[in-house]
Amino acid sequence: MTAKELIITYLQQHKGGSRSVDIHAHLVEHGLKRESSMSALSKLVHSGEVLRARFRQDYICWLKNTSVVISPSELRNRLSNANRRLNAMNSINVVFDECRTNSQVYRMDQLLRSAREVRV
């Protein structure tokens, strides 16, 4: 399957909308490069087959259905529902979380916090 076909089938399975990070991860699982998935998703957005809206630091994407008119409140619901599927594996801050767990400064701060809590 091509990247475009994989994106369309993935979005058909997730009718409420899906984050672009999840879409790219799905395509990487199928052996495609992230750059090709980004390019394919951009082309689908520009052609009008996929709608995309910015939500915080990510985009929420869903298939365009010409028979349905999306109201602003429904758009907000779709964005919030898709963002609830956030987990540690597809988190945007995985790199920062990893740095925090391995940082000596962060460990020292944790020790100081625990000492302050014991004193109070």
Side-chain angles (χ1 to χ4, degrees):
M1 289 182 97
T2 65
K4 288 181 182 181
E5 292 169 347
L6 281 171
I7 291 171
I8 290 172
T9 56
Y10 182 79
L11 289 174
Q12 286 172 345
Q13 293 170 354
H14 298 87
K15 295 182 187 225
S18 182
R19 297 176 339 131
S20 60
V21 173
D22 298 333
I23 295 170
H24 298 313
H26 177 72
L27 269 68
V28 168
E29 288 175 2
H30 282 81
L32 297 172
K33 293 183 179 178
R34 183 172 171 83
E35 293 82 16
S36 65
S37 69
M38 291 169 58
S39 174
L41 184 59
S42 302
K43 288 178 183 177
L44 286 170
V45 169
H46 289 301
S47 70
E49 293 179 57
V50 174
L51 299 175
R52 177 170 63 183
R54 181 136 181 116
F55 186 70
R56 296 187 184 165
Q57 287 136 356
D58 199 9
Y59 288 97
I60 308 299
C61 304
W62 63 92
L63 288 175
K64 181 180 180 180
N65 188 353
T66 55
S67 64
V68 176
V69 177
I70 300 172
S71 66
S73 62
E74 185 179 348
L75 178 62
R76 273 187 246 109
N77 287 339
R78 285 185 180 202
L79 294 177
S80 63
N81 288 338
N83 195 43
R84 285 189 192 120
R85 290 193 294 265
L86 182 69
N87 59 35
M89 292 304 295
N90 61 10
S91 172
I92 297 169
N93 295 323
V94 170
V95 174
F96 297 112
D97 294 338
E98 187 69 27
C99 290
R100 285 186 199 109
T101 57
N102 295 327
S103 170
Q104 293 177 355
V105 174
Y106 188 72
R107 288 185 199 148
M108 181 60 78
D109 186 47
Q110 285 178 331
L111 288 172
L112 290 173
R113 281 185 198 167
S114 64
R116 286 186 202 121
E117 289 174 1
V118 169
R119 226 178 347 157
V120 173

